[in-house]
């Protein structure tokens, strides 16, 4: 199960009490989820106007950076071709697997200094993700062109005798060359199908040399490309989880008010008990927003636009680590 629920609730007398209540409700008797505290540092709050605007901006940035993470992961799978079982071991964040990184999340002070404003931090992440996205497009285009040209040449040298290159089958002596009146026709047995073929030694030699060159170039590019994908997948994924942290912080301040007093918590739901877990969380936090019944984005309520985001009485964001279109 690679789905996490990142939630927050206001501190009781202490944030530890908020944590203890969640643990009692979800793990001690009914094994609904595996929980971890999610550590968010003391970020600069700024003004209410800025927070409201930032809330919308972060939602868009979250979607964009998630798309970059998925593109890098999927392209890693494409590049590794026959080694797709090795994809997962290359998709790491800070050198550890994704579940470990998320459950032991620590804010990266060097990359995203907390003395900066929330807006500045979000802009740092936005620029970083945009750069990775642009670099990926350029590198993927160059590698795909090379791979496509090589595949076209390989296709010429494979397949049936009706379509493949005959350069490695026929010899010069098989042809009448430089005659005004005679043309050598080749017959493919057993269908006696006549096909046109011009014997040209220079062209045949050029094809072989081109295939060797393309194959060598592909091998040369493969290693550096995989290394770039590993490094930039890690960077993009780390940036994405920091956006989640920013969103929890901003939304918690907007909902629960000042001074900042909330506990962020990461839940890994037990797949069989997800509905029950949702009900338990509702009972635990319904007092936070009496108007918030359990509303799910899949429910069709006329006039209510949820922007495909579930709404609950507590702050909630989903993190889905299943980043690939195929199962590895």
């Amino acid at each position: 199960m690679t789905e996490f629920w990142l939630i927050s609730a206001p501190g009781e007398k202490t944030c530890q009490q908020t944590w203890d209540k969640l643990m009692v409700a979800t793990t001690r008797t009914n094994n609904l989820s595996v929980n971890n505290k999610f550590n968010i540092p003391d970020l600069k709050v700024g003004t209410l106007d800025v927070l409201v605007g930032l809330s919308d901006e972060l939602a868009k940035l979250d979607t964009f950076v998630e798309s970059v993470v998925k593109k890098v992961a999927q392209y890693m799978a494409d590049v590794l071709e026959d080694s797709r079982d090795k994809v997962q071991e290359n998709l790491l964040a800070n050198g550890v697997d994704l579940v470990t990184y998320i459950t032991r999340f620590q804010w990266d002070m060097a990359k995203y200094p907390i003395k900066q404003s929330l807006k500045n931090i979000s802009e740092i992440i936005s620029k970083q993700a945009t750069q990775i996205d642009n670099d990926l497009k350029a590198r993927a285009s160059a590698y795909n062109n090379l791979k496509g040209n090589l595949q076209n040449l390989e296709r010429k040298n494979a397949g049936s005798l009706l379509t493949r290159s005959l350069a490695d089958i026929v010899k010069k002596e098989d042809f009448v060359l430089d005659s005004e009146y005679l043309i050598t026709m080749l017959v493919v047995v057993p269908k006696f199908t006549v096909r046109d073929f011009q014997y040209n030694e220079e062209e045949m030699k050029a094809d072989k040399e081109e295939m060797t060159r393309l194959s060598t170039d592909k091998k040369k590019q493969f290693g550096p490309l995989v290394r770039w994908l590993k490094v930039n997948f890690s960077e993009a994924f780390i940036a994405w989880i920091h956006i989640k942290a920013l969103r929890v912080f901003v939304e918690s301040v907007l909902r629960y008010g000042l001074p900042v007093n909330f506990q962020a918590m990461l839940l890994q739901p037990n797949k069989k008990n997800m509905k029950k877990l949702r009900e338990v969380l509702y009972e635990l936090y319904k007092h936070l927003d009496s108007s918030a019944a359990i509303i799910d984005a899949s429910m069709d309520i006329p006039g209510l636009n949820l922007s495909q985001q579930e709404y609950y009485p507590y702050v909630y964001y989903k993190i889905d680590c299943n980043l690939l279109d195929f199962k590895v």
Side-chain angles (χ1 to χ4, degrees):
M1 183 69 189
T2 53
E3 182 178 309
F4 292 90
W5 295 356
L6 180 54
I7 71 167
S8 85
E12 308 273 339
K13 286 181 181 173
T14 66
C15 287
Q16 185 61 37
Q17 281 184 311
T18 305
W19 170 253
D20 291 340
K21 275 191 177 180
L22 176 83
M23 291 299 287
V24 169
T26 61
T27 65
R28 292 200 183 147
T29 56
N30 44 19
N31 191 30
L32 296 178
S33 59
V34 176
N35 306 331
N36 289 274
K37 285 183 180 178
F38 191 84
N39 297 311
I40 301 174
D42 295 328
L43 300 167
K44 281 192 169 182
V45 176
T47 65
L48 187 63
D49 284 354
V50 169
L51 287 180
V52 170
L54 198 56
S55 179
D56 290 338
E57 287 172 29
L58 286 171
K60 292 172 190 166
L61 188 56
D62 189 346
T63 303
F64 170 62
V65 179
E66 181 181 4
S67 76
V68 173
V69 169
K70 286 184 173 175
K71 277 192 264 186
V72 176
Q74 195 58 53
Y75 196 62
M76 171 85 80
D78 293 346
V79 168
L80 288 174
E81 295 175 22
D82 299 329
S83 308
R84 285 196 159 191
D85 55 329
K86 292 184 180 174
V87 174
Q88 212 68 10
E89 66 192 52
N90 282 296
L91 297 180
L92 304 174
N94 258 2
V96 297
D97 66 85
L98 306 186
V99 170
T100 301
Y101 177 79
I102 294 172
T103 54
R104 297 181 189 171
F105 174 76
Q106 293 293 325
W107 186 274
D108 191 323
M109 302 287 184
K111 279 195 184 92
Y112 314 113
I114 60 171
K115 287 183 180 177
Q116 301 255 15
S117 69
L118 295 174
K119 188 161 181 61
N120 281 2
I121 294 171
S122 73
E123 283 172 358
I124 290 169
I125 293 174
S126 178
K127 283 176 187 169
Q128 184 188 15
T130 302
Q131 185 66 53
I132 291 172
D133 193 39
N134 290 338
D135 285 354
L136 177 65
K137 283 173 189 165
R139 286 169 186 269
S141 175
Y143 190 75
N144 289 348
N145 284 340
L146 181 62
K147 191 172 157 185
N149 290 338
L150 182 58
Q151 283 172 341
N152 287 339
L153 270 179
E154 285 171 343
R155 223 171 275 126
K156 276 176 71 176
N157 289 288
S160 78
L161 291 172
L162 289 177
T163 55
R164 63 170 291 184
S165 169
L166 303 175
D168 58 344
I169 295 173
V170 297
K171 299 188 288 291
K172 189 175 183 180
E173 304 84 69
D174 297 331
F175 291 83
V176 176
L177 301 172
D178 305 322
S179 169
E180 283 185 50
Y181 307 106
L182 296 172
I183 295 176
T184 305
M185 302 301 289
L186 299 178
V187 178
V188 178
V189 181
K191 295 188 178 178
F192 298 102
T193 305
V194 178
R195 70 167 278 202
D196 184 36
F197 181 80
Q198 300 291 322
Y199 188 90
N200 185 318
E201 268 188 288
E202 286 182 10
E203 198 176 291
M204 287 154 61
K205 187 182 173 189
D207 273 359
K208 280 186 178 175
E209 286 174 354
E210 178 69 356
M211 186 178 275
T212 303
R213 185 187 69 76
L214 289 172
S215 185
T216 303
D217 283 356
K218 187 185 171 195
K219 284 174 188 168
K220 274 185 189 170
Q221 287 193 26
F222 177 81
L225 180 58
V226 170
R227 281 193 294 277
W228 184 90
L229 289 166
K230 278 179 75 169
V231 168
N232 285 276
F233 173 82
S234 176
E235 292 295 307
F237 188 84
I238 289 167
W240 185 41
I241 303 305
H242 278 76
I243 291 168
K244 296 290 188 189
L246 283 176
R247 293 190 75 188
V248 168
F249 183 85
V250 169
E251 195 64 25
S252 298
V253 173
L254 287 173
R255 284 213 206 178
Y256 310 142
L258 292 170
V260 175
N261 180 31
F262 67 89
Q263 179 64 55
M265 300 165 282
L266 187 75
L267 285 61
Q268 190 173 6
N270 181 328
K271 197 172 186 179
K272 293 176 184 174
N273 296 325
M274 289 174 88
K275 191 178 177 192
K276 176 67 178 166
L277 175 61
R278 199 57 93 182
E279 289 166 0
V280 166
L281 291 176
Y282 177 68
E283 286 302 317
L284 200 56
Y285 301 123
K286 65 183 177 183
H287 64 282
L288 298 175
D289 187 349
S290 57
S291 64
I294 298 185
I295 298 174
D296 192 291
S298 61
M299 293 166 64
D300 186 17
I301 303 173
L304 182 62
N305 178 17
L306 289 167
S307 304
Q308 297 182 335
Q309 172 64 53
E310 298 96 330
Y311 182 79
Y312 302 98
Y314 46 91
V315 173
Y316 160 79
Y317 296 105
K318 184 168 85 170
I319 302 173
D320 188 353
C321 289
N322 189 26
L323 303 169
L324 299 166
D325 291 339
F326 68 95
K327 290 203 167 66
V328 289

